[in-house]
Amino acid sequence: MTLIFAVVALMAPAAVNWGWIQNPTEFLSNPIHDPPSWQHWFGTNRLGYDVFARTLVASRVAWQVVILATALSMVVGVPLGMLSGYLGGRMDRVLLFLMDAIYTLPGLLLSITLAFVVGKGVLNAAIALSISYVPQYYRVVRNHTVSVKTELFIEAARALGADPPTVLSRYLFLNVIQSVPVLFTLNAADAILVLGGLGFLGLGLPEEVPEWGHDLRQALEALPTGIWWTALFPGGTMTLMVVGLSFLGEGLNQFVNPKLRQGS
């Protein structure tokens, strides 16, 4: 399922350029709130946009923001976790306090606050989302580093004269990142929901950019009049993508931790 959404996201701009689907930002001449038909598979919304085109192109926008957000949080959280766990001392205590303080804040509330500060845009939305995920990478990697740094092969490397950068990059890194891909997929699923929440509130991305949260906000006004398709297709697609990423994360978790399969 996740692979299907990835392929759709890659192909969506080409499909628009080749005329396979409508331009998601182009007003249609007459159809407004037209139900699904052969001409408009998912119908049209109250602004005259083709819902099918917007739903497909929004998947690409979601992938862009989510991958950027999780990558930024990983790039910051993983090195900090390794340094904190390996060096310990005052640096470890300060970082633990800072990360715990961020971790206690609700992710959506923190993202909303940051979205007000950094403004709208793909990169800005990714930054707003990424801050709340940094402590998760930090805590996981730090705890692994604390347990691995006392292993005999680490002690042997230090005894042979390996400096801290060498120990961290050659001996610790590959041994402490097993859980990072699992965390990446789970954070990606959560980031899609948070991005949708920001869009629903009118934050995160500019209004003209196709995004599921924006479309759901527009659909909310039409639902009482029986216009169901403008909410069903964007909301259903977002739900399927979140479910697919969650299953992928669970599968990776069982692959990385074989004891989970044995326990089941």
Side-chain angles (χ1 to χ4, degrees):
M1 186 184 300
T2 305
L3 180 61
I4 293 174
F5 279 113
V7 172
V8 168
L10 288 173
M11 293 297 296
V16 174
N17 294 333
W18 295 338
W20 293 354
I21 61 175
Q22 297 280 348
N23 188 325
T25 59
E26 178 183 337
F27 290 102
L28 303 175
S29 56
N30 292 319
I32 296 178
H33 276 158
D34 271 14
S37 63
W38 285 112
Q39 185 179 6
H40 305 289
W41 292 356
F42 289 179
T44 62
N45 63 17
R46 71 180 182 87
L47 298 176
Y49 290 134
D50 184 85
V51 177
F52 179 72
R54 288 186 66 83
T55 301
L56 261 62
V57 175
S59 66
R60 179 179 178 87
V61 176
W63 275 111
Q64 288 175 332
V65 174
V66 166
I67 290 176
L68 272 174
T70 48
L72 284 172
S73 55
M74 182 172 61
V75 166
V76 175
V78 171
L80 284 180
M82 290 179 62
L83 285 172
S84 180
Y86 183 75
L87 298 178
R90 180 177 298 177
M91 175 186 178
D92 183 43
R93 292 193 297 271
V94 171
L95 284 175
L96 266 176
F97 176 80
L98 178 62
M99 294 298 169
D100 286 345
I102 297 174
Y103 191 72
T104 57
L105 298 174
L108 179 58
L109 180 60
L110 180 59
S111 298
I112 291 173
T113 304
L114 291 171
F116 273 114
V117 175
V118 300
K120 296 182 178 182
V122 171
L123 180 58
N124 291 341
I127 293 172
L129 267 65
S130 66
I131 301 300
S132 61
Y133 300 131
V134 170
Q136 298 182 37
Y137 290 99
Y138 168 83
R139 290 157 66 101
V140 168
V141 172
R142 177 197 173 273
N143 292 340
H144 278 277
T145 302
V146 169
S147 62
V148 171
K149 74 176 183 179
T150 58
E151 296 289 338
L152 290 178
F153 68 94
I154 298 294
E155 297 289 346
R158 285 199 293 255
L160 292 173
D163 55 5
T166 301
V167 173
L168 288 170
S169 60
R170 294 186 58 182
Y171 300 102
L172 268 174
F173 180 72
L174 292 178
N175 288 280
V176 301
I177 61 166
Q178 293 94 339
S179 298
V180 168
V182 178
L183 196 56
F184 186 94
T185 55
L186 297 178
N187 283 343
D190 182 72
I192 290 173
L193 294 176
V194 176
L195 178 63
L198 292 178
F200 191 83
L201 296 172
L203 303 170
L205 298 175
E207 294 288 341
E208 64 273 12
V209 177
E211 197 272 316
W212 294 321
H214 287 163
D215 291 347
L216 287 174
R217 185 181 61 170
Q218 298 289 342
L220 187 63
E221 302 174 4
L223 275 176
T225 60
I227 301 170
W228 50 268
W229 55 90
T230 56
L232 174 64
F233 295 112
T237 305
M238 181 169 65
T239 301
L240 288 175
M241 190 168 175
V242 170
V243 171
L245 284 169
S246 299
F247 279 133
L248 178 61
E250 182 62 28
L252 285 174
N253 194 25
Q254 292 190 6
F255 177 77
V256 171
N257 301 294
K259 291 182 179 179
L260 293 177
R261 295 197 302 269
Q262 296 173 3
S264 60

